[in-house]
Amino acid sequence: MAVLSKSFSTLTAGALLLLALISPRSQKLRFYLNSIIYIAGLGICSVWGIFVSILLSLVPGQRLNINKVVARSFWRLTSPLVGIRFIVEGEEHFQAARPAVVVGNHQTAMDILYLGRIFPGNASIMAKKELQFAPLLGQFMSLSGAVFINRKNLKDSIKAFQQVGETMNNKKLSLWIFPEGTRSGLATPDLLPFKKGAFHLAIQAGVPVVPVVCENYNRLFDSRSRFESGTIRIKVLAPIPTKHLTAADANELTEKVRQLMLDELRNMDAERQRTDTAASVNNDEASMAGVAGFFSKFVGTANSWQSVNSNVDKQEKRLRQNGTTGENPEDYHLVSEAQKKSN
């Protein structure tokens, strides 16, 4: 049994090494490689999160920093390996508005990585009740003070909001919520309709809403066949006060915040397109990062060969005389050996 286990481990390690070695030459293989790294990082940090949760729960005043510690651990471990970098603007708004209801756009499962980079201290999350029973994740979320909402039972949700509002003010606790309610998976910079729960909570607790916009990163990750390295911008917008609002204003507040986030999301996309002149640049050998980027130094990239071939074609067309096929030396003002002898 020990021999079989050792053989299996060796084969697995060899397969992963081979995958890493040839991944720079194939987008699909990079997707598999980076997905494996990402899932492994989640698994490691889920276990790590249990220990952190237990330890920080024993330290006075530190339980509400569990999410930040574990989130940063995941970001620092995984981000360099998959080659995803973040540029963050407006992070100071987290300190200026606390407690607050923080709302962010929700694209794919890779949002966990951007949360890892930006999740504030003294904050927790609101999640659907089903996650409370997920292995490892559910235990970690419970220990870190996550708020679970039964979205199928309105009375339970309202009661939970009342309790959460009191806790937020008493403990200066901020709460992160994805108001879209689910992952959008959109290829374009857009948002799903917002659910009003986060805004009812902010009004009821009398705390500001802090919108967080992560630019559309479909060009890097699409959940199906693309997981590339690159840079993603995140912007924390100015806090929106709610102290003088009532429940009757929840609809207007919801639409106001959604429009602000949508405008910023589209502005970020437009700015990126102005600076990122060609989509192929994202996959070029010069910008490929992470594990795949490391191995690209030895095996090159498919795009590099395409670039070389493209340059050769351009040079060939420039040198060839107009109206010729390019099959004869004369087409390039060259003289063949036969012509030399005849002369």
Side-chain angles (χ1 to χ4, degrees):
M1 185 63 71
V3 174
L4 287 175
S5 178
K6 186 176 181 180
S7 299
F8 178 76
S9 299
T10 303
L11 286 172
T12 302
L16 289 174
L17 180 60
L18 179 61
L19 177 61
L21 184 63
I22 61 178
S23 65
R25 309 286 300 169
S26 167
Q27 176 180 298
K28 192 71 173 180
L29 293 180
R30 285 194 297 278
F31 172 78
Y32 290 136
L33 174 66
N34 287 332
S35 295
I36 290 170
I37 293 171
Y38 191 84
I39 293 170
L42 281 175
I44 291 169
C45 288
S46 293
V47 177
W48 166 242
I50 298 294
F51 289 105
V52 171
S53 300
I54 294 171
L55 290 173
L56 291 187
S57 294
L58 301 175
V59 180
Q62 289 301 310
R63 186 185 179 196
L64 295 179
N65 284 319
I66 291 173
N67 282 304
K68 180 180 179 180
V69 172
V70 178
R72 292 296 188 279
S73 299
F74 177 64
W75 165 59
R76 293 185 185 281
L77 170 67
T78 309
S79 186
L81 296 177
V82 297
I84 297 291
R85 300 169 294 277
F86 294 100
I87 297 174
V88 181
E89 303 171 52
E91 203 166 1
E92 66 277 4
H93 292 311
F94 286 140
Q95 293 299 323
R98 198 176 72 182
V101 171
V102 183
V103 293
N105 55 318
H106 197 9
Q107 299 180 59
T108 71
M110 204 177 76
D111 287 343
I112 301 172
L113 193 57
Y114 102 71
L115 283 176
R117 167 58 186 88
I118 200 173
F119 201 88
N122 220 61
S124 191
I125 62 172
M126 180 177 286
K128 57 186 179 181
K129 194 171 182 64
E130 291 83 351
L131 289 178
Q132 188 174 7
F133 308 103
L136 295 179
L137 179 62
Q139 289 75 35
F140 161 70
M141 293 174 72
S142 297
L143 287 169
S144 62
V147 177
F148 297 100
I149 295 294
N150 184 358
R151 294 188 295 184
K152 297 178 182 178
N153 191 317
L154 182 60
K155 289 183 179 180
D156 286 351
S157 296
I158 293 173
K159 185 177 179 181
F161 278 174
Q162 292 172 344
Q163 295 173 347
V164 172
E166 294 175 3
T167 302
M168 290 177 70
N169 283 299
N170 293 337
K171 296 185 177 181
K172 301 298 180 184
L173 169 71
S174 293
L175 201 64
W176 188 297
I177 301 174
F178 290 117
E180 291 169 283
T182 189
R183 291 171 286 190
S184 65
L186 297 171
T188 55
D190 208 344
L191 298 170
L192 297 177
F194 278 10
K195 298 183 183 299
K196 294 177 286 188
F199 307 96
H200 274 294
L201 175 60
I203 292 172
Q204 187 169 316
V207 300
V209 175
V210 178
V212 177
V213 182
C214 177
E215 74 166 311
N216 185 281
Y217 52 71
N218 183 265
R219 72 191 189 281
L220 302 180
F221 180 78
D222 67 355
S223 300
R224 294 180 300 276
S225 61
R226 182 168 55 249
F227 195 156
E228 302 291 348
S229 58
T231 301
I232 298 173
R233 288 178 61 199
I234 306 170
K235 191 165 185 178
V236 184
L237 306 185
I240 301 170
T242 66
K243 279 192 175 181
H244 301 294
L245 301 182
T246 66
D249 300 310
N251 286 344
E252 184 179 347
L253 178 62
T254 302
E255 290 306 314
K256 175 183 177 180
V257 174
R258 184 182 183 277
Q259 192 59 51
L260 282 172
M261 293 177 66
L262 183 58
D263 290 344
E264 188 58 47
L265 185 64
R266 289 174 175 171
N267 286 338
M268 292 167 79
D269 191 72
E271 289 173 10
R272 183 192 59 78
Q273 289 190 32
R274 284 195 292 268
T275 56
D276 198 8
T277 55
S280 60
V281 171
N282 291 319
N283 296 326
D284 198 8
E285 186 175 4
S287 62
M288 187 180 292
V291 173
F294 173 77
F295 283 101
S296 71
K297 298 174 183 177
F298 305 101
V299 300
T301 67
N303 280 355
S304 296
W305 288 107
Q306 291 169 1
S307 178
V308 169
N309 291 336
S310 176
N311 288 334
V312 169
D313 289 341
K314 289 178 182 177
Q315 290 288 342
E316 190 265 345
K317 289 179 181 178
R318 185 174 63 82
L319 294 173
R320 195 175 72 212
Q321 296 184 66
N322 292 333
T324 60
T325 62
E327 296 176 355
N328 303 307
E330 297 83 12
D331 296 344
Y332 301 93
H333 302 287
L334 300 175
V335 179
S336 67
E337 291 297 324
Q339 287 176 318
K340 288 180 181 178
K341 291 178 181 179
S342 64
N343 291 335

